[in-house]
């Protein structure tokens, strides 16, 4: 998200303080997802306005144009993903666990196929982290998984065990995969707080 924000804001990015950069990063998420998952410009604009992002249509178009120029291979990836889903056996598989999503008769909606290919992999990476983490909880006097929401997992433990549990989380959830001849790291941020809403 930060890299996409830097693309959109260009030279202005470094002039903003960290609080403003954080806000811009959050605002760019909708633009980024809309672009990656093939949202129509008008639909994305309406969605952003409903979410309280008061962006002009022409500014949104400019932001998407910047992303398109900075990442020209995205269009090829989108087209290739849809083409694979449309060809027999009309399925896509994630590159982590190999789970599949099928479209009978090849009736594929482009945005659905593109979204599925990414979400499958993200869920598989998260599930792999949870599977690696769960046995480690037995080593603690008391430690529990509280929630897993998208790309976040929340654990609770005694305060004295927090640093050790954080290290175990980092070891379990931080993963690296090979894909199309590239090594793709999936780093994580670990935070410790006194309560679930103060991290």
């Amino acid at each position: 998200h930060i890299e996409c924000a830097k693309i959109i804001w260009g030279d202005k990015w470094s002039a903003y303080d960290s609080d403003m950069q954080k806000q811009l990063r959050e605002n760019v998420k909708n633009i980024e997802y809309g672009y990656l998952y093939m949202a129509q410009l008008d639909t994305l604009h309406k969605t952003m306005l409903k979410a309280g992002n008061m962006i002009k249509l022409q500014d949104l178009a400019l932001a998407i144009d910047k992303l398109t120029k900075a990442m020209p291979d995205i269009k090829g990836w989108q087209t290739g993903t849809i083409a694979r889903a449309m060809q027999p056996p009309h399925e896509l598989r994630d590159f982590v666990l190999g789970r599949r999503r099928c479209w009978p008769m090849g009736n594929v909606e482009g945005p659905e196929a593109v979204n599925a290919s990414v979400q499958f992999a993200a869920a598989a990476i998260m599930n792999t982290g949870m599977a690696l983490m769960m046995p480690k909880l037995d080593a603690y006097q008391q430690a529990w998984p509280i929630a897993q929401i998208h790309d976040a997992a929340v654990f609770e433990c005694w305060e004295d065990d927090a640093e050790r549990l954080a290290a175990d989380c980092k070891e379990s959830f931080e993963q690296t995969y090979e894909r199309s001849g590239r090594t793709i790291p999936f780093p994580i941020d670990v935070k410790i707080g006194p309560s679930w809403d103060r991290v």
Side-chain angles (χ1 to χ4, degrees):
H1 299 310
I2 290 173
E3 292 306 314
C4 286
K6 287 179 179 178
I7 290 168
I8 290 172
W9 293 100
D11 295 337
K12 296 178 182 177
W13 175 260
S14 57
Y16 294 120
D17 63 28
S18 60
D19 288 339
M20 179 59 93
Q21 287 180 350
K22 185 176 180 180
Q23 182 180 338
L24 294 175
R25 175 191 177 277
E26 289 302 309
N27 290 344
V28 163
K29 279 185 182 181
N30 284 333
I31 300 173
E32 178 185 344
Y33 290 143
Y35 167 62
L36 293 175
Y37 299 144
M38 306 174 68
Q40 296 295 316
L41 182 62
D42 287 341
T43 303
L44 178 57
H45 185 239
K46 289 174 186 174
T47 300
M48 294 190 70
L49 292 176
K50 285 181 185 176
N53 295 313
M54 296 299 136
I55 185 171
K56 294 178 182 176
L57 183 63
Q58 59 265 34
D59 291 336
L60 178 58
L62 179 61
I64 290 174
D65 184 60
K66 287 182 178 182
L67 291 175
T68 302
K69 288 177 179 172
M71 299 182 283
D73 292 340
I74 293 293
K75 291 294 183 190
W77 163 73
Q78 291 168 335
T79 303
T81 298
I82 296 165
R84 283 197 313 278
M86 292 178 73
Q87 299 298 318
H90 308 298
E91 68 179 22
L92 293 173
R93 291 181 177 267
D94 77 68
F95 65 85
V96 180
L97 300 176
R99 293 180 303 177
R100 66 189 188 125
R101 165 74 162 88
C102 296
W103 287 268
M105 307 296 290
N107 295 325
V108 179
E109 293 285 336
E112 182 185 5
V114 170
N115 182 280
S117 67
V118 174
Q119 296 303 322
F120 284 179
I125 291 167
M126 193 67 186
N127 290 342
T128 299
M130 289 296 288
L132 293 170
M133 186 64 196
M134 294 306 291
K136 295 177 182 178
L137 298 180
D138 294 336
Y140 295 88
Q141 51 181 331
Q142 288 184 322
W144 309 272
I146 300 300
Q148 178 189 332
I149 305 164
H150 299 296
D151 61 351
V154 181
F155 294 87
E156 184 172 83
C157 67
W158 287 96
E159 187 176 343
D160 293 346
D161 290 332
E163 293 289 344
R164 188 163 62 103
L165 185 68
D168 278 342
C169 283
K170 188 167 181 64
E171 182 180 53
S172 298
F173 286 94
E174 210 158 65
Q175 301 166 46
T176 302
Y177 292 93
E178 296 291 329
R179 179 73 171 163
S180 302
R182 296 180 181 177
T183 300
I184 308 167
F186 289 90
I188 68 162
D189 292 326
V190 180
K191 298 177 183 176
I192 298 173
S195 67
W196 307 343
D197 65 341
R198 293 173 59 198
V199 178

